[in-house]
Structures are given as C-alpha cells and as structure tokens.
Amino acid sequence: MVDWFARPSSVWWGFAVVHLYFLGWMASFFLNGDTFSDTEQYRQWATDGYNPQDLDGKISPWVYPVLAQLPIFLANIAGPSLYLLMWFLIITALNAVGILYLTRGPRKVSGIAPAWWWLFFTIFMGYLSFARVEGITAPIVLIALLYAAERPVVAGFLLSIATWIKVWPAAVLAPIVIASRKRIQVVLAGAGVTAAVALGTWLSGGLPHIMDFLLNQGERGMQLEATFSTPWVWLSVFHIAGSKMADNTAINSTEVYGPGASTAAFLMQPLLILAAVVAAVLLVRALKRGAEREELFLEGSLMMVTAFIVFNKVGSPQFIIWLAPVIIAGLAHDWNRWKVPAALLMGIAMTTFVIYPLFYTPLIHAHPVMAAILTTRNVLLVVLLWWSVKRTAELGRKNSAPVTAGA
C-alpha cells in the first residue's frame, strides 16, 4: 500500500478524488444557480461591470489588483447560473498544471510526497481556495518557485503576473530578486509585466483606479482573524471596556473594536513595512555570507510571506493559502529540512478549517472555545515565522566566504 502512494499515478488518483469531492459539494450550489462565499461578489462584478460609479455604493472590484478581473470575467463565460462551476474548473485546471510540474522531470520522485501534502492541505483549505482569488494565484506561485532556481526570469514573470492578481506573491518575488544571479533580468521581467498591465488598464479606461487596491487598505480596522487582533478578541469575549466584534459593511469584513484597536490598525502598515525591510536585510546578509541560493530564496519566501500574514491587519482565513506553494516547493527541494514548517502549516490549516467554514458564526459572536482555537492558530503562525527567521539567519552563519562576483 505504501508503494502505491509513491507512484506518480497515485497522485493523480488522489487529485481526482479531492477535486471530485469539492465538485460534488459545490454542485449543491451551482445546480441551483447559486454561488459560494466570495464567488457571489465576483459574479456580481462580472455581471455589473467594473466602473465603481455604477455600483451604487457597493464594494468596488478595484480592491483587487487589475489582473484579478481576468479570471473573474472568464468564469462568467457560461452565464451567471454556472459561475461557480466555471470558477471551480479554472482553479482545478491550474492545480492540475501545478501537480504536473511538481511530479515530472527531476522532481518525478521527490515531488510525489509534496504533491500528497498539497492534496491533504486542500482537504482543509479547499473551501477557501476554490472560492477565492487565492486559488488562482497559489498554483501560479508554485510553478514559479519550481522554476526559480534554473529559470529565475520565468519565475519573475509568473510572480509579477500573480502579484497583479493578488498582492501577496510580491513577498515571494522579493527573495528571488535578492538571491538570484539574474536579479536585474528578474526585475526587468516584472517591470515589463507592470508596463503591459498599465497600458492595458489605460486603454480600457481604468487607469485612475489601478492603485485603489493599495489606497483603500488604509481605511480598514483590525480584522477579527488578524494575529495582532488576538488581545481584542479576548477583551470581547470577557466584555471588557466595551470591546466588541462588529461588521465593517463597506468592505465586508468583521473587525475588532476596543481600547487601542484603532491605534493598532494605524501602526500595522508601518510594522509590516519594517518587517519586510528586516527580512530583506537578513536575506542580503545570508547571501553575502555564502548561503546556498535555492534554499535562501525558499526560506526567504517563507519568512516574507509569513511576515505578510503575521503583521497584517486583515488576516482573512484564505491568507493561509499563501504559505502552501512555498512549503510544497521547499518539501520538493529538501523534505527533511522542510518537514517541520510543513507540519506547522498543516496544523494551521486544520485550525483555520475549524474557524472557517465550520464555526465562524460562533467566533464572531465571541465564543470562548472559538477564541481559543483562533489564538492557537495565530500562535502557530508566529512559531512558523520564528522558524523561518531562525533558519534564514542560520544560512547566513554557515559560510563566511563572500559570494563570487557577478552574483
């Protein structure tokens, strides 16, 4: 039985079982012409259009970078009633390409166990990944990471596209720029993608809104699930000093309110920038001390992405999907070195699954058990960040010899 799981064909059987399960589950929605979770918002944008002035005060589609509009529009190709099915099929196709790249060529053997890890991760996170833009970007980032060591320019191109769909892949792009010998070409690839996106947006008349996805974030408060919201979650549980959890209807999120919450929300942006700068300094230091490049950009990517989650005032459950491509690529590179963060992320995925979709309503009503589960999840995220920082710092101590010129 163990031998069967080690065969490349077994991964595709597992892929079929997992995806058919979610297809069956989502059929209960799309067979009635319904959608699930954020796909309802996507369907509305696909049918109403992308001009915020025509939305009559509704959530603007420009909360996402502009390339997110492509899959959101594409999913409407068969009409609004089958929107969820088309969205699911787009993500399934991307996942299949990711599995293909993970289990062929030099990774024909080493990629099998990481592929199974991905499938088990999907069992818990599929309710989110099949209903959010993260499901589009995750397989693109995985393919980019698998390419990054040998073809960093291709990786930079793919990551730049993914960043213009959802911002988080920039946290993977930065370590590759730092660690790659072809960093200038990687930057030029990203600049080319950005120029093409800007030109297309200008031609379509949307250029004034192209940066809305960044500018609108400053109005947000501390979202309930954010790591730094944990103190106010417990203040709300014990009804201390008027603390509470309430909906921010303008952006469709639940936020925490209480003494100091608004100040924390204001400080999160500079804290996130500071964390990114510190992570970049650690990467440059490790590179100058002769760290192995592929391990450096993988561990650097984990450090950056985890920092983007831990120091984020949003903290939506789907953010956990950001970590999966890095872990999968790391496991394919060195299973023994990456099994600890892989175990941590699986624990994070399990607790996130309990939070959403299982018991999100008790959480927003300040149930103490759910507050404890959310706290556990957030502590695991901090531990994962600590692991990635520690291992990246260790890479910088392994070899004091400088890297060769031209790196």
Side-chain angles (χ1 to χ4, degrees):
M1 189 64 179
V2 174
D3 291 340
W4 183 83
F5 281 97
R7 299 172 187 169
S9 60
S10 70
V11 173
W12 289 106
W13 281 108
F15 179 91
V17 169
V18 170
H19 285 73
L20 284 173
Y21 164 75
F22 280 103
L23 176 63
W25 184 78
M26 294 210 174
S28 63
F29 295 91
F30 65 72
L31 288 178
N32 296 314
D34 296 328
T35 55
F36 170 71
S37 190
D38 282 18
T39 55
E40 175 57 35
Q41 181 68 72
Y42 302 160
R43 181 170 68 173
Q44 178 182 315
W45 290 336
T47 55
D48 292 351
Y50 275 76
N51 187 348
Q53 296 177 352
D54 298 335
L55 297 178
D56 193 26
K58 298 176 183 176
I59 299 171
S60 169
W62 296 89
V63 297
Y64 289 144
V66 62
L67 287 189
Q69 297 179 18
L70 296 181
I72 288 173
F73 266 118
L74 181 61
N76 201 40
I77 192 171
S81 62
L82 292 178
Y83 190 91
L84 180 61
L85 173 61
M86 292 298 105
W87 182 264
F88 171 83
L89 292 177
I90 291 170
I91 293 176
T92 298
L94 288 170
N95 287 349
V97 175
I99 290 287
L100 180 65
Y101 276 95
L102 185 60
T103 57
R104 72 171 191 172
R107 289 176 293 273
K108 189 174 182 179
V109 175
S110 65
I112 293 176
W116 276 111
W117 184 94
W118 186 9
L119 293 174
F120 279 107
F121 178 86
T122 303
I123 291 172
F124 299 106
M125 297 301 297
Y127 300 92
L128 288 160
S129 64
F130 286 119
R132 310 289 171 97
V133 171
E134 277 76 6
I136 302 289
T137 53
I140 298 175
V141 172
L142 173 60
I143 295 167
L145 282 168
L146 296 176
Y147 262 120
E150 297 177 357
R151 299 181 182 178
V153 178
V154 174
F157 177 79
L158 291 173
L159 288 169
S160 299
I161 291 175
T163 300
W164 277 106
I165 297 174
K166 195 75 186 282
V167 180
W168 72 269
V172 177
L173 183 58
I176 293 177
V177 169
I178 292 171
S180 175
R181 288 187 172 89
K182 296 182 178 180
R183 62 179 65 89
I184 294 177
Q185 293 96 316
V186 173
V187 171
L188 289 175
V193 170
T194 299
V197 169
L199 177 61
T201 307
W202 175 67
L203 291 174
S204 64
L207 193 60
H209 302 292
I210 195 169
M211 300 305 291
D212 282 5
F213 68 95
L214 291 177
L215 300 176
N216 290 343
Q217 300 304 310
E219 302 171 1
R220 305 183 73 132
M222 294 294 296
Q223 188 166 314
L224 164 63
E225 303 98 307
T227 307
F228 278 70
S229 293
T230 304
W232 289 277
V233 169
W234 285 106
L235 287 174
S236 300
V237 169
F238 294 110
H239 308 288
I240 296 175
S243 300
K244 63 178 182 178
M245 307 175 197
D247 289 338
N248 182 338
T249 55
I251 54 175
N252 192 29
S253 71
T254 303
E255 298 176 354
V256 293
Y257 299 86
S262 59
T263 302
F266 175 79
L267 291 175
M268 291 312 296
Q269 195 100 353
L271 277 174
L272 179 56
I273 294 172
L274 178 61
V277 170
V278 171
V281 169
L282 284 174
L283 286 168
V284 172
R285 172 179 173 270
L287 181 65
K288 288 184 175 180
R289 295 189 176 192
E292 193 270 317
R293 290 177 184 274
E294 185 172 2
E295 189 65 39
L296 180 62
F297 71 65
L298 286 170
E299 292 191 6
S301 295
L302 180 61
M303 176 173 58
M304 281 282 193
V305 174
T306 311
F308 268 41
I309 298 173
V310 170
F311 291 95
N312 202 312
K313 64 180 177 181
V314 181
S316 298
Q318 67 266 23
F319 285 12
I320 305 308
I321 299 166
W322 302 358
L323 294 161
V326 185
I327 294 293
I328 297 164
L331 288 171
H333 175 65
D334 187 337
W335 177 273
N336 287 330
R337 186 175 180 86
W338 281 80
K339 61 185 179 182
V340 171
L344 285 170
L345 183 54
M346 194 61 74
I348 291 168
M350 290 177 180
T351 49
T352 302
F353 171 69
V354 174
I355 294 166
Y356 186 95
L358 293 186
F359 300 111
Y360 194 69
T361 299
L363 175 62
I364 63 178
H365 288 91
H367 194 287
V369 173
M370 289 309 302
I373 293 172
L374 176 61
T375 302
T376 301
R377 197 282 304 270
N378 289 343
V379 168
L380 289 173
L381 279 169
V382 173
V383 172
L384 184 61
L385 177 60
W386 172 82
W387 186 94
S388 63
V389 171
K390 180 174 178 290
R391 295 307 289 261
T392 303
E394 287 175 355
L395 285 176
R397 290 197 296 265
K398 280 187 173 181
N399 188 348
S400 60
V403 295
T404 58

